[in-house]
Amino acid sequence: MNIMNAMILSCVKATELMELREVAPLSLVKKIQLQIHVAMCSGCKNYMKQTKLINKLLNKTFNSTPPTLGTDELEATIIKKL
């Protein structure tokens, strides 16, 4: 097997690496393979952009702390929304 064939990933493997890198760091070889694939594949490039956006929005939603309000302020806010 020549070195180019070893460096080329399928789209399935590329998307697996995109998801894996969200939970664990990739090895240097895997990073390079992913970069090469994404540079050549517009579908995976779009998937990567969408994945980054989704993860950013999820992190923003679930990792944000709710605003702290006093009891009176909280009650007034609830009543106002009702």
Side-chain angles (χ1 to χ4, degrees):
M1 177 182 342
N2 69 28
I3 202 159
M4 266 321 265
N5 287 340
M7 294 302 289
I8 302 299
L9 297 175
S10 68
C11 291
V12 171
K13 185 65 178 172
T15 55
E16 285 176 12
L17 290 178
M18 287 179 217
E19 298 300 331
L20 179 62
R21 74 184 185 157
E22 294 299 322
V23 294
L26 297 177
S27 70
L28 180 59
V29 171
K30 297 292 182 195
K31 285 180 188 178
I32 293 170
Q33 286 177 316
L34 184 57
Q35 287 176 344
I36 290 170
H37 182 89
V38 170
M40 297 185 313
C41 180
S42 62
C44 286
K45 187 182 293 187
N46 288 333
Y47 182 84
M48 182 181 276
K49 287 178 186 178
Q50 292 169 353
T51 300
K52 284 181 180 181
L53 177 63
I54 289 168
N55 288 331
K56 180 181 174 183
L57 293 173
L58 286 172
N59 284 332
K60 183 178 177 182
T61 300
F62 290 107
N63 292 334
S64 64
T65 55
T68 55
L69 297 174
T71 305
D72 294 336
E73 293 173 275
L74 184 57
E75 183 179 344
T77 303
I78 292 170
I79 291 171
K80 184 177 179 180
K81 290 189 178 199
L82 290 175

